[in-house]
Amino acid sequence: MSSEATGDLVLVLRRLGGTVTGGVARLGYMARFLGAILWYTPMALRRLHLTVREIYFSGVLSLVIILMSGLFVGMVLSLQGYEVLRRYSAQEQLGIVVALSLVKELGPVIGGLLFASRAGSAITAEIGLMKATEQLSAMEMMAVDPIARVVAPRFWAGVISMPLLAALFSAFGIFGGYLIGVRVIGIDAGAFWGQMQAGVNFWPDITNGIIKSIVFGAAVSLIAVIEGYDAKPTAEGVSSATTRTVVVSSLAILALDFVLTVFMFRGVGL
Amino acid sequence: MPVAATADSHATLSPTRRLDPAAAAIELKDVSFAYDTRLILRGITMTVPRGKIVAIMGASGSGKTTILRLIGGQLRPKKGKVLVGGQSVADLEPDALYALRRKFGMLFQFGALFTDMTVFENIAFPMREHTDLPESMIRDLVLMKLNAVGLRGAAQLMPSELSGGMGRRVALARAIALDPMLVMYDEPFAGLDPISLAIVGQLIRRLNDALGITSIVVTHDVYESLKMVDYLYFVSEGKIVASGTPAEVRASSDPFVRQFVDGQPDGPVRFHYPAPPYHRALLANVE
Ligand SMILES: Nc1ncnc2c1ncn2[C@@H]1O[C@H](COP(=O)(O)OP(=O)(O)O)[C@@H](O)[C@H]1O
Ligand SMILES: [Mg+2]
C-alpha cells in the first residue's frame, strides 16, 4: 500500500472516530442538560403558571394543525384500509384497522413530527432569540437561572402537551375514518364501532401509544430547548438552530419509534 | 497588589492622586482572560471605589464587556483575581455567586429587556423572583422606579413599542429594581440621540448619588463621560493604557488619551486592521 493511501485511510478513520466521539459527547451533554432541567423542576412546578403559559403556546396553538392532519390521515386510512380489506371480504374490520394504526403508530409519530415542526421550532427560535438579545445573560446577572425560568417550563409543557395532542390526533383520525367508512362507503356503523371496541384494548394498545407520545414529547422538547440554548447568538445562528431542531427531532422520533415498537412487541411475546 | 504598584504598568496621569484601595468596592488584580486561546485581557488592574462612577473606555472589541462579565462572575479570569467587597468572585460557590448578583444591577448593551413582558413586568421581574412582597407593594415599587426614569406613563407598553432612549431608561429602572450596591452600565449611550444621551447620563449620576450606588460605565463616549464620571480607565488591546480623573484626562498629553479625546482616526489605536503592506497586495495581481 502506498504511503499516500495509508494517509487517506488514517484520515478516514480519524474522521470516523471524530464523528463517533463527537456524537457520544453530544449525547452526554444532552443527558447532563436533562439532569439540570430535572434539578430545577421542583422550582419550575412551584410556579405552575409559567408551565401553563407554555402549554398554551406549544399545545393549544398546535391544535389546529394537529386536528386537521388527524382528520385527513384518518380519512385516507379508511379509504386505503377498505380497499385492502375488501379483497379478503373483511370490510367489517375497518374500525379496528383505523383505530389501531392511529392509536399505536400514526397518532404519536405524525403528531410528534407535526409538534416538532410547529412547537419545537418555535421553542428553539424563542430561546435562541432570547440568547441573541442577551435576555438570558441578563437573567443570569439578575441571579435567576435561565434553565429554571425559561427552559424547564418549556420542556415540561412539551412533555405534557404531546400525549394530549397525539390523543386528539387519533380521535380526529378515527372520526375521519368513520366519515369515510360509514358515511361515504356505507359500512354498517354498528360493525365499525363494535369491532373497534372489541379489538382495541386499553392495555397494551392505548398505553403503548401513550408511552410513545410521552417519549416523543420529551425528545422533541429536549432537542428544541438545547438547540435554542446553544444557538450562536446571531440571526444565522438562530435560524440554523431552528432548522436543526426540526431535522434532528424528526429523525429522533422515527428512530425512537422503531426502538420502542421492538420493545413493545417483545412485551406481548412476539 | 495595591494600586500604587501598577503606576509603572500604565500611565497614571497624576501620581499624587490615586484611588484609595481601602475604599474599593471592586478590584481587579492583574486579570488576564482568553476566549479559548485568543487573549482578550492581559493583566488588567483597576479599582472602583465605593460610591463613585468609574468609566472604562476603549475602542469596540477592546474587551470592555468582558471586564463586566468577569466582575459579574459570568466568566472566570485565566489569571489574577476579581475582588468584589474583598471576595474573589471566581472562587464563590454558585449559591454565594447568585447571592452576590442580587446586589448587582446591570444595564446590557442593548437593554436586554424581556420582549414577552410589558415594561411594568420587566421591572417587577427581579422583585417577583427574589422577594415575597405583596402585589400592591411591587406595584408601588415599580412605579417608583419608573418615575425615577420618567417613564411612569409607559408602564403598560411592550419593549417593542419603546424608542431606543426609552428602552435604555426602562433597562436602567430594571437594573436598580432591587436597590443594588453596584450598577454596571454597558454602553448606556450607544445609539442614542443627543437629548436622550444627556438624559441617561444625568440619570446615571443622579441615581448614583441619591442611592449611594457604585457605578461602572463602559463606553466610548468620551465627551459624555468626562461630564459625569469620577475616574476613567482607558483600555486598549487588553491592557489599561491610561487612567485619571476627568480634569487629568482633559489636560493629558498622553498620545492614546489625546487620540481618544480628540477623536483622531490614527494614533496609538490604528485605523487599519493588521494587513500586509498595501503595495504588495496591489501588486499581487500583476505578478
Ligand atoms: N463569546 C465569545 N467567544 C469568543 N470571542 C468573543 C466572545 N465574546 C467576545 N469575544 C471577543 O472578545 C473581544 C472583546 O469583546 P468585548 O469584551 O465584547 O469588547 P467590547 O465590549 O470592548 O466591544 C472581541 O474581539 C470579541 O470578538
Ligand atoms: Mg461591548
Side-chain angles (χ1 to χ4, degrees), chain B residues 53-76:
Chain B
I53 304 184
V54 169
I56 302 175
M57 315 215 40
S60 15
S62 54
K64 306 182 297 293
T65 301
T66 307
I67 294 178
L68 296 188
R69 289 193 189 280
L70 284 163
I71 296 173
Q74 286 186 313
L75 301 173
R76 298 161 153 269

Side-chain angles (χ1 to χ4, degrees), chain A residues 93-152:
Chain A
Q93 311 286 336
L94 185 62
I96 302 186
V97 171
V98 169
L100 281 185
S101 344
L102 280 165
V103 168
K104 291 176 77 170
E105 275 303 324
L106 298 177
V109 172
I110 300 187
L113 294 175
L114 291 171
F115 184 73
S117 40
R118 168 64 184 78
S121 59
I123 290 172
T124 302
E126 196 185 9
I127 297 180
L129 278 175
M130 289 185 82
K131 182 179 183 184
T133 52
E134 293 192 306
Q135 295 180 45
L136 297 185
S137 241
M139 231 175 239
E140 259 177 34
M141 281 303 296
M142 283 187 246
V144 175
D145 196 310
I147 304 240
R149 185 64 172 64
V150 175
V151 171

Side-chain angles (χ1 to χ4, degrees), chain B residues 9-196:
Chain B
S9 68
H10 71 263
T12 304
L13 300 175
S14 147
T16 50
R17 231 201 97 158
R18 282 187 200 113
L19 298 171
D20 174 14
I26 313 285
E27 262 191 287
L28 273 69
K29 293 184 169 181
D30 195 26
V31 169
S32 296
F33 178 81
Y35 281 111
D36 297 323
T37 56
R38 222 175 108 219
L39 209 53
I40 306 289
L41 302 177
R42 314 152 197 257
I44 296 265
T45 297
M46 62 167 63
T47 307
V48 181
R50 204 149 295 187
K52 301 281 186 207
I53 304 184
V54 169
I56 302 175
M57 315 215 40
S60 15
S62 54
K64 306 182 297 293
T65 301
T66 307
I67 294 178
L68 296 188
R69 289 193 189 280
L70 284 163
I71 296 173
Q74 286 186 313
L75 301 173
R76 298 161 153 269
K78 294 282 180 288
K79 216 175 105 242
K81 285 222 177 306
V82 178
L83 302 177
V84 175
Q87 277 180 311
S88 167
V89 179
D91 298 337
L92 292 176
E93 297 292 321
D95 285 347
L97 178 62
Y98 269 37
L100 181 69
R101 283 183 185 163
R102 287 180 204 189
K103 299 185 210 149
F104 286 179
M106 178 144 177
L107 182 79
F108 278 77
Q109 198 155 346
F110 300 104
L113 292 174
F114 300 128
T115 39
D116 56 345
M117 301 179 195
T118 60
V119 165
F120 183 98
E121 286 303 319
N122 261 284
I123 296 163
F125 180 87
M127 302 175 188
R128 292 197 205 285
E129 291 292 325
H130 294 311
T131 69
D132 289 321
L133 294 174
E135 193 54 40
S136 63
M137 187 89 103
I138 288 184
R139 191 176 161 276
D140 292 350
L141 281 173
V142 170
L143 291 182
M144 209 168 85
K145 302 291 174 192
L146 274 175
N147 203 39
V149 298
L151 290 176
R152 194 161 36 83
Q156 293 312 320
L157 296 183
M158 294 305 283
S160 56
E161 298 171 296
L162 302 174
S163 71
M166 284 161 80
R168 217 59 64 83
R169 279 147 73 189
V170 172
L172 215 163
R174 189 179 66 178
I176 57 164
L178 290 179
D179 296 325
M181 58 159 242
L182 169 79
V183 183
M184 295 186 271
Y185 301 92
D186 196 353
E187 314 249 1
F189 308 123
L192 295 189
D193 60 87
I195 299 171
S196 311

Side-chain angles (χ1 to χ4, degrees), chain B residues 19-20 22-26 47-54 180-183 204-216 228-231:
Chain B
L19 298 171
D20 174 14
I26 313 285
T47 307
V48 181
R50 204 149 295 187
K52 301 281 186 207
I53 304 184
V54 169
M181 58 159 242
L182 169 79
V183 183
I204 293 176
R205 184 77 246 182
R206 259 211 342 256
L207 292 171
N208 190 82
D209 298 347
L211 305 176
I213 299 174
T214 305
S215 308
I216 303 177
M228 53 167 275
V229 307
D230 297 307
Y231 204 81

